[in-house]
Amino acid sequence: MAISETGAGIDIVYRSDCPSRPILDQIADKWSMMVMAVLDKPRRFNEIRRRLEGVTQRVLTQTLRRLERNGMVVRRVLPTSPVGVEYSLTPLGESLREPFGRLYDWTVSNADEIRAHQMEYDRRVQS
């Protein structure tokens, strides 16, 4: 993002080379946000999967790897037989729980209004 002052005030330009773009793309998708929400404590893969209805094993694996790569989640191999793995938030990932929680709360609070707008739009477009 670049900020420049113009005669009309501040002009924000979301530059194509802004380093926030790929990071936001990787951490702000629905599954990443939901995974981080259910990681209120360390959890095993299948426990995470059971708490996220509709997520496939493949998508959950990709999401956890992406979050681990970005430093949001840590993967710990458990000394069990068979070998188990659990995931937990890092301090960096934990720092996103509060803003993501606010976004989730906003979504729930406004879901009916958003659905009404979607239905009205769809009616207009189909006419």
Side-chain angles (χ1 to χ4, degrees), residues 58-95:
R58 179 177 170 268
V59 168
L60 182 55
T61 299
Q62 290 172 339
T63 300
L64 287 164
R65 285 181 182 160
R66 203 170 41 245
L67 290 170
E68 183 180 10
R69 181 173 182 258
N70 286 299
M72 304 295 151
V73 168
V74 64
R75 178 182 182 267
R76 185 170 76 101
V77 178
L78 303 172
T80 58
S81 181
V83 174
V85 175
E86 74 176 10
Y87 297 88
S88 59
L89 292 177
T90 64
L92 187 60
E94 188 67 41
S95 72

mmCIF file of all heavy atoms in Angstrom, residues 58-95:
data_model
loop_
_atom_site.group_PDB
_atom_site.id
_atom_site.type_symbol
_atom_site.label_atom_id
_atom_site.label_comp_id
_atom_site.label_asym_id
_atom_site.label_seq_id
_atom_site.Cartn_x
_atom_site.Cartn_y
_atom_site.Cartn_z
ATOM 1 N N ARG A 58 -7.641 -32.868 1.970
ATOM 2 C CA ARG A 58 -6.666 -32.181 1.111
ATOM 3 C C ARG A 58 -6.613 -30.687 1.422
ATOM 4 O O ARG A 58 -5.537 -30.116 1.578
ATOM 5 C CB ARG A 58 -7.035 -32.424 -0.355
ATOM 6 C CG ARG A 58 -6.118 -31.737 -1.336
ATOM 7 C CD ARG A 58 -6.528 -32.097 -2.787
ATOM 8 N NE ARG A 58 -5.832 -31.282 -3.737
ATOM 9 C CZ ARG A 58 -6.291 -30.125 -4.219
ATOM 10 N NH1 ARG A 58 -7.466 -29.671 -3.835
ATOM 11 N NH2 ARG A 58 -5.596 -29.443 -5.090
ATOM 12 N N VAL A 59 -7.777 -30.054 1.503
ATOM 13 C CA VAL A 59 -7.827 -28.609 1.760
ATOM 14 C C VAL A 59 -7.293 -28.297 3.152
ATOM 15 O O VAL A 59 -6.545 -27.332 3.343
ATOM 16 C CB VAL A 59 -9.259 -28.062 1.565
ATOM 17 C CG1 VAL A 59 -9.397 -26.655 2.112
ATOM 18 C CG2 VAL A 59 -9.632 -28.105 0.090
ATOM 19 N N LEU A 60 -7.647 -29.112 4.130
ATOM 20 C CA LEU A 60 -7.144 -28.873 5.486
ATOM 21 C C LEU A 60 -5.631 -29.034 5.534
ATOM 22 O O LEU A 60 -4.935 -28.223 6.161
ATOM 23 C CB LEU A 60 -7.823 -29.801 6.485
ATOM 24 C CG LEU A 60 -7.402 -29.606 7.939
ATOM 25 C CD1 LEU A 60 -7.594 -28.167 8.400
ATOM 26 C CD2 LEU A 60 -8.173 -30.570 8.837
ATOM 27 N N THR A 61 -5.102 -30.046 4.879
ATOM 28 C CA THR A 61 -3.651 -30.239 4.829
ATOM 29 C C THR A 61 -2.965 -29.033 4.205
ATOM 30 O O THR A 61 -1.981 -28.508 4.738
ATOM 31 C CB THR A 61 -3.300 -31.524 4.037
ATOM 32 O OG1 THR A 61 -3.877 -32.640 4.713
ATOM 33 C CG2 THR A 61 -1.806 -31.717 3.901
ATOM 34 N N GLN A 62 -3.482 -28.557 3.067
ATOM 35 C CA GLN A 62 -2.898 -27.395 2.399
ATOM 36 C C GLN A 62 -2.979 -26.157 3.285
ATOM 37 O O GLN A 62 -2.027 -25.375 3.357
ATOM 38 C CB GLN A 62 -3.619 -27.124 1.077
ATOM 39 C CG GLN A 62 -3.356 -28.157 0.020
ATOM 40 C CD GLN A 62 -4.239 -27.975 -1.214
ATOM 41 O OE1 GLN A 62 -5.290 -27.334 -1.159
ATOM 42 N NE2 GLN A 62 -3.812 -28.549 -2.323
ATOM 43 N N THR A 63 -4.105 -25.981 3.956
ATOM 44 C CA THR A 63 -4.298 -24.816 4.821
ATOM 45 C C THR A 63 -3.310 -24.841 5.975
ATOM 46 O O THR A 63 -2.665 -23.824 6.274
ATOM 47 C CB THR A 63 -5.744 -24.778 5.344
ATOM 48 O OG1 THR A 63 -6.628 -24.696 4.224
ATOM 49 C CG2 THR A 63 -5.968 -23.602 6.265
ATOM 50 N N LEU A 64 -3.170 -25.988 6.622
ATOM 51 C CA LEU A 64 -2.239 -26.093 7.751
ATOM 52 C C LEU A 64 -0.795 -25.869 7.304
ATOM 53 O O LEU A 64 -0.025 -25.180 7.990
ATOM 54 C CB LEU A 64 -2.394 -27.445 8.438
ATOM 55 C CG LEU A 64 -3.663 -27.590 9.272
ATOM 56 C CD1 LEU A 64 -3.928 -29.054 9.591
ATOM 57 C CD2 LEU A 64 -3.578 -26.753 10.542
ATOM 58 N N ARG A 65 -0.429 -26.394 6.163
ATOM 59 C CA ARG A 65 0.936 -26.174 5.639
ATOM 60 C C ARG A 65 1.184 -24.703 5.351
ATOM 61 O O ARG A 65 2.260 -24.167 5.643
ATOM 62 C CB ARG A 65 1.168 -27.001 4.377
ATOM 63 C CG ARG A 65 1.372 -28.459 4.661
ATOM 64 C CD ARG A 65 1.620 -29.240 3.387
ATOM 65 N NE ARG A 65 1.760 -30.659 3.688
ATOM 66 C CZ ARG A 65 1.607 -31.609 2.805
ATOM 67 N NH1 ARG A 65 1.307 -31.323 1.543
ATOM 68 N NH2 ARG A 65 1.746 -32.878 3.149
ATOM 69 N N ARG A 66 0.198 -24.050 4.750
ATOM 70 C CA ARG A 66 0.327 -22.621 4.438
ATOM 71 C C ARG A 66 0.459 -21.797 5.720
ATOM 72 O O ARG A 66 1.290 -20.901 5.821
ATOM 73 C CB ARG A 66 -0.891 -22.191 3.620
ATOM 74 C CG ARG A 66 -0.687 -20.971 2.787
ATOM 75 C CD ARG A 66 -1.834 -20.714 1.813
ATOM 76 N NE ARG A 66 -3.160 -20.937 2.347
ATOM 77 C CZ ARG A 66 -3.998 -21.883 1.913
ATOM 78 N NH1 ARG A 66 -3.659 -22.692 0.943
ATOM 79 N NH2 ARG A 66 -5.185 -22.004 2.450
ATOM 80 N N LEU A 67 -0.371 -22.116 6.712
ATOM 81 C CA LEU A 67 -0.298 -21.401 7.989
ATOM 82 C C LEU A 67 1.030 -21.671 8.693
ATOM 83 O O LEU A 67 1.601 -20.759 9.306
ATOM 84 C CB LEU A 67 -1.475 -21.797 8.882
ATOM 85 C CG LEU A 67 -2.844 -21.286 8.437
ATOM 86 C CD1 LEU A 67 -3.952 -21.935 9.263
ATOM 87 C CD2 LEU A 67 -2.913 -19.766 8.527
ATOM 88 N N GLU A 68 1.511 -22.885 8.603
ATOM 89 C CA GLU A 68 2.814 -23.209 9.197
ATOM 90 C C GLU A 68 3.929 -22.441 8.483
ATOM 91 O O GLU A 68 4.814 -21.869 9.123
ATOM 92 C CB GLU A 68 3.063 -24.715 9.117
ATOM 93 C CG GLU A 68 4.352 -25.154 9.782
ATOM 94 C CD GLU A 68 4.594 -26.650 9.688
ATOM 95 O OE1 GLU A 68 3.880 -27.368 8.954
ATOM 96 O OE2 GLU A 68 5.536 -27.106 10.375
ATOM 97 N N ARG A 69 3.877 -22.412 7.175
ATOM 98 C CA ARG A 69 4.890 -21.693 6.386
ATOM 99 C C ARG A 69 4.926 -20.213 6.729
ATOM 100 O O ARG A 69 5.981 -19.598 6.766
ATOM 101 C CB ARG A 69 4.596 -21.873 4.897
ATOM 102 C CG ARG A 69 5.597 -21.180 4.000
ATOM 103 C CD ARG A 69 5.358 -21.518 2.534
ATOM 104 N NE ARG A 69 6.361 -20.879 1.715
ATOM 105 C CZ ARG A 69 6.146 -19.774 1.000
ATOM 106 N NH1 ARG A 69 4.955 -19.214 0.993
ATOM 107 N NH2 ARG A 69 7.102 -19.247 0.286
ATOM 108 N N ASN A 70 3.763 -19.639 7.014
ATOM 109 C CA ASN A 70 3.674 -18.212 7.335
ATOM 110 C C ASN A 70 3.888 -17.918 8.814
ATOM 111 O O ASN A 70 3.747 -16.773 9.243
ATOM 112 C CB ASN A 70 2.332 -17.655 6.863
ATOM 113 C CG ASN A 70 2.295 -17.499 5.362
ATOM 114 O OD1 ASN A 70 3.083 -16.768 4.789
ATOM 115 N ND2 ASN A 70 1.398 -18.221 4.707
ATOM 116 N N GLY A 71 4.183 -18.929 9.595
ATOM 117 C CA GLY A 71 4.498 -18.708 10.995
ATOM 118 C C GLY A 71 3.301 -18.553 11.908
ATOM 119 O O GLY A 71 3.436 -18.102 13.044
ATOM 120 N N MET A 72 2.128 -18.943 11.429
ATOM 121 C CA MET A 72 0.910 -18.800 12.232
ATOM 122 C C MET A 72 0.638 -20.039 13.085
ATOM 123 O O MET A 72 0.017 -19.945 14.141
ATOM 124 C CB MET A 72 -0.316 -18.576 11.339
ATOM 125 C CG MET A 72 -0.212 -17.408 10.398
ATOM 126 S SD MET A 72 -0.132 -15.878 11.304
ATOM 127 C CE MET A 72 0.820 -14.922 10.170
ATOM 128 N N VAL A 73 1.094 -21.187 12.604
ATOM 129 C CA VAL A 73 0.808 -22.472 13.246
ATOM 130 C C VAL A 73 2.118 -23.236 13.367
ATOM 131 O O VAL A 73 2.984 -23.147 12.501
ATOM 132 C CB VAL A 73 -0.208 -23.270 12.386
ATOM 133 C CG1 VAL A 73 -0.316 -24.712 12.828
ATOM 134 C CG2 VAL A 73 -1.571 -22.606 12.416
ATOM 135 N N VAL A 74 2.233 -23.981 14.450
ATOM 136 C CA VAL A 74 3.372 -24.877 14.603
ATOM 137 C C VAL A 74 2.846 -26.303 14.621
ATOM 138 O O VAL A 74 1.782 -26.579 15.182
ATOM 139 C CB VAL A 74 4.198 -24.551 15.876
ATOM 140 C CG1 VAL A 74 3.400 -24.778 17.135
ATOM 141 C CG2 VAL A 74 5.478 -25.339 15.889
ATOM 142 N N ARG A 75 3.565 -27.176 13.954
ATOM 143 C CA ARG A 75 3.223 -28.603 13.855
ATOM 144 C C ARG A 75 4.181 -29.360 14.761
ATOM 145 O O ARG A 75 5.397 -29.198 14.662
ATOM 146 C CB ARG A 75 3.389 -29.054 12.408
ATOM 147 C CG ARG A 75 3.111 -30.497 12.147
ATOM 148 C CD ARG A 75 3.383 -30.775 10.656
ATOM 149 N NE ARG A 75 3.090 -32.124 10.309
ATOM 150 C CZ ARG A 75 3.973 -33.123 10.315
ATOM 151 N NH1 ARG A 75 5.217 -32.895 10.661
ATOM 152 N NH2 ARG A 75 3.603 -34.343 9.966
ATOM 153 N N ARG A 76 3.631 -30.173 15.651
ATOM 154 C CA ARG A 76 4.460 -30.913 16.595
ATOM 155 C C ARG A 76 4.167 -32.402 16.458
ATOM 156 O O ARG A 76 3.007 -32.824 16.542
ATOM 157 C CB ARG A 76 4.170 -30.447 18.020
ATOM 158 C CG ARG A 76 5.074 -31.072 19.063
ATOM 159 C CD ARG A 76 4.912 -30.388 20.404
ATOM 160 N NE ARG A 76 3.697 -30.784 21.071
ATOM 161 C CZ ARG A 76 3.635 -31.673 22.066
ATOM 162 N NH1 ARG A 76 4.730 -32.248 22.512
ATOM 163 N NH2 ARG A 76 2.485 -31.972 22.610
ATOM 164 N N VAL A 77 5.230 -33.181 16.230
ATOM 165 C CA VAL A 77 5.099 -34.629 16.141
ATOM 166 C C VAL A 77 5.079 -35.173 17.562
ATOM 167 O O VAL A 77 5.950 -34.869 18.378
ATOM 168 C CB VAL A 77 6.258 -35.249 15.329
ATOM 169 C CG1 VAL A 77 6.141 -36.761 15.296
ATOM 170 C CG2 VAL A 77 6.278 -34.680 13.921
ATOM 171 N N LEU A 78 4.068 -35.983 17.849
ATOM 172 C CA LEU A 78 3.901 -36.551 19.188
ATOM 173 C C LEU A 78 4.575 -37.915 19.265
ATOM 174 O O LEU A 78 4.473 -38.709 18.322
ATOM 175 C CB LEU A 78 2.416 -36.681 19.519
ATOM 176 C CG LEU A 78 1.606 -35.389 19.453
ATOM 177 C CD1 LEU A 78 0.122 -35.689 19.612
ATOM 178 C CD2 LEU A 78 2.069 -34.414 20.523
ATOM 179 N N PRO A 79 5.232 -38.204 20.360
ATOM 180 C CA PRO A 79 5.919 -39.499 20.494
ATOM 181 C C PRO A 79 4.949 -40.609 20.877
ATOM 182 O O PRO A 79 5.000 -41.167 21.973
ATOM 183 C CB PRO A 79 6.930 -39.229 21.614
ATOM 184 C CG PRO A 79 6.272 -38.185 22.460
ATOM 185 C CD PRO A 79 5.462 -37.342 21.509
ATOM 186 N N THR A 80 4.031 -40.903 19.983
ATOM 187 C CA THR A 80 3.035 -41.951 20.225
ATOM 188 C C THR A 80 3.173 -43.017 19.151
ATOM 189 O O THR A 80 3.861 -42.828 18.154
ATOM 190 C CB THR A 80 1.609 -41.357 20.184
ATOM 191 O OG1 THR A 80 1.393 -40.732 18.912
ATOM 192 C CG2 THR A 80 1.394 -40.345 21.285
ATOM 193 N N SER A 81 2.489 -44.120 19.373
ATOM 194 C CA SER A 81 2.473 -45.167 18.371
ATOM 195 C C SER A 81 1.017 -45.459 18.029
ATOM 196 O O SER A 81 0.256 -45.875 18.904
ATOM 197 C CB SER A 81 3.143 -46.425 18.916
ATOM 198 O OG SER A 81 3.145 -47.427 17.938
ATOM 199 N N PRO A 82 0.568 -45.238 16.811
ATOM 200 C CA PRO A 82 1.322 -44.634 15.715
ATOM 201 C C PRO A 82 1.626 -43.164 16.003
ATOM 202 O O PRO A 82 1.017 -42.545 16.862
ATOM 203 C CB PRO A 82 0.378 -44.779 14.511
ATOM 204 C CG PRO A 82 -0.989 -44.843 15.106
ATOM 205 C CD PRO A 82 -0.829 -45.496 16.450
ATOM 206 N N VAL A 83 2.561 -42.655 15.242
ATOM 207 C CA VAL A 83 2.997 -41.279 15.431
ATOM 208 C C VAL A 83 1.818 -40.334 15.226
ATOM 209 O O VAL A 83 1.060 -40.473 14.266
ATOM 210 C CB VAL A 83 4.150 -40.934 14.456
ATOM 211 C CG1 VAL A 83 4.506 -39.464 14.544
ATOM 212 C CG2 VAL A 83 5.359 -41.794 14.748
ATOM 213 N N GLY A 84 1.645 -39.401 16.133
ATOM 214 C CA GLY A 84 0.581 -38.411 16.025
ATOM 215 C C GLY A 84 1.170 -37.029 15.790
ATOM 216 O O GLY A 84 2.354 -36.791 16.043
ATOM 217 N N VAL A 85 0.344 -36.143 15.294
ATOM 218 C CA VAL A 85 0.753 -34.766 15.039
ATOM 219 C C VAL A 85 -0.311 -33.851 15.609
ATOM 220 O O VAL A 85 -1.511 -34.121 15.478
ATOM 221 C CB VAL A 85 0.908 -34.506 13.519
ATOM 222 C CG1 VAL A 85 1.214 -33.047 13.239
ATOM 223 C CG2 VAL A 85 1.971 -35.401 12.921
ATOM 224 N N GLU A 86 0.129 -32.783 16.258
ATOM 225 C CA GLU A 86 -0.830 -31.779 16.708
ATOM 226 C C GLU A 86 -0.380 -30.415 16.226
ATOM 227 O O GLU A 86 0.796 -30.191 15.959
ATOM 228 C CB GLU A 86 -1.024 -31.804 18.225
ATOM 229 C CG GLU A 86 0.110 -31.240 19.017
ATOM 230 C CD GLU A 86 -0.171 -31.203 20.517
ATOM 231 O OE1 GLU A 86 -1.165 -31.790 20.972
ATOM 232 O OE2 GLU A 86 0.624 -30.570 21.215
ATOM 233 N N TYR A 87 -1.357 -29.553 16.111
ATOM 234 C CA TYR A 87 -1.124 -28.197 15.628
ATOM 235 C C TYR A 87 -1.550 -27.215 16.705
ATOM 236 O O TYR A 87 -2.537 -27.439 17.406
ATOM 237 C CB TYR A 87 -1.936 -27.942 14.351
ATOM 238 C CG TYR A 87 -1.522 -28.838 13.214
ATOM 239 C CD1 TYR A 87 -2.097 -30.093 13.052
ATOM 240 C CD2 TYR A 87 -0.549 -28.432 12.319
ATOM 241 C CE1 TYR A 87 -1.704 -30.925 12.021
ATOM 242 C CE2 TYR A 87 -0.151 -29.270 11.276
ATOM 243 C CZ TYR A 87 -0.733 -30.506 11.141
ATOM 244 O OH TYR A 87 -0.340 -31.329 10.112
ATOM 245 N N SER A 88 -0.804 -26.124 16.803
ATOM 246 C CA SER A 88 -1.166 -25.059 17.732
ATOM 247 C C SER A 88 -0.744 -23.726 17.133
ATOM 248 O O SER A 88 0.093 -23.668 16.226
ATOM 249 C CB SER A 88 -0.514 -25.276 19.097
ATOM 250 O OG SER A 88 0.887 -25.324 18.975
ATOM 251 N N LEU A 89 -1.354 -22.675 17.634
ATOM 252 C CA LEU A 89 -1.014 -21.343 17.160
ATOM 253 C C LEU A 89 0.316 -20.890 17.740
ATOM 254 O O LEU A 89 0.635 -21.176 18.893
ATOM 255 C CB LEU A 89 -2.094 -20.331 17.575
ATOM 256 C CG LEU A 89 -3.454 -20.477 16.916
ATOM 257 C CD1 LEU A 89 -4.420 -19.450 17.482
ATOM 258 C CD2 LEU A 89 -3.355 -20.329 15.411
ATOM 259 N N THR A 90 1.061 -20.176 16.950
ATOM 260 C CA THR A 90 2.265 -19.503 17.430
ATOM 261 C C THR A 90 1.824 -18.166 18.035
ATOM 262 O O THR A 90 0.660 -17.761 17.871
ATOM 263 C CB THR A 90 3.223 -19.223 16.264
ATOM 264 O OG1 THR A 90 2.584 -18.304 15.360
ATOM 265 C CG2 THR A 90 3.613 -20.502 15.526
ATOM 266 N N PRO A 91 2.708 -17.453 18.692
ATOM 267 C CA PRO A 91 2.333 -16.113 19.167
ATOM 268 C C PRO A 91 1.846 -15.203 18.026
ATOM 269 O O PRO A 91 0.905 -14.433 18.202
ATOM 270 C CB PRO A 91 3.619 -15.585 19.804
ATOM 271 C CG PRO A 91 4.316 -16.830 20.299
ATOM 272 C CD PRO A 91 4.019 -17.860 19.219
ATOM 273 N N LEU A 92 2.451 -15.344 16.852
ATOM 274 C CA LEU A 92 2.005 -14.553 15.701
ATOM 275 C C LEU A 92 0.584 -14.931 15.299
ATOM 276 O O LEU A 92 -0.264 -14.072 15.052
ATOM 277 C CB LEU A 92 2.968 -14.759 14.528
ATOM 278 C CG LEU A 92 2.765 -13.905 13.292
ATOM 279 C CD1 LEU A 92 2.893 -12.412 13.625
ATOM 280 C CD2 LEU A 92 3.780 -14.294 12.217
ATOM 281 N N GLY A 93 0.296 -16.221 15.248
ATOM 282 C CA GLY A 93 -1.053 -16.684 14.929
ATOM 283 C C GLY A 93 -2.043 -16.275 15.999
ATOM 284 O O GLY A 93 -3.173 -15.876 15.702
ATOM 285 N N GLU A 94 -1.638 -16.370 17.250
ATOM 286 C CA GLU A 94 -2.500 -15.969 18.367
ATOM 287 C C GLU A 94 -2.882 -14.492 18.253
ATOM 288 O O GLU A 94 -4.000 -14.108 18.585
ATOM 289 C CB GLU A 94 -1.785 -16.243 19.693
ATOM 290 C CG GLU A 94 -2.626 -16.056 20.904
ATOM 291 C CD GLU A 94 -3.758 -17.057 21.041
ATOM 292 O OE1 GLU A 94 -3.564 -18.242 20.772
ATOM 293 O OE2 GLU A 94 -4.870 -16.620 21.425
ATOM 294 N N SER A 95 -1.968 -13.679 17.731
ATOM 295 C CA SER A 95 -2.250 -12.243 17.607
ATOM 296 C C SER A 95 -3.366 -11.951 16.603
ATOM 297 O O SER A 95 -3.934 -10.860 16.606
ATOM 298 C CB SER A 95 -0.983 -11.470 17.222
ATOM 299 O OG SER A 95 -0.613 -11.723 15.879
#
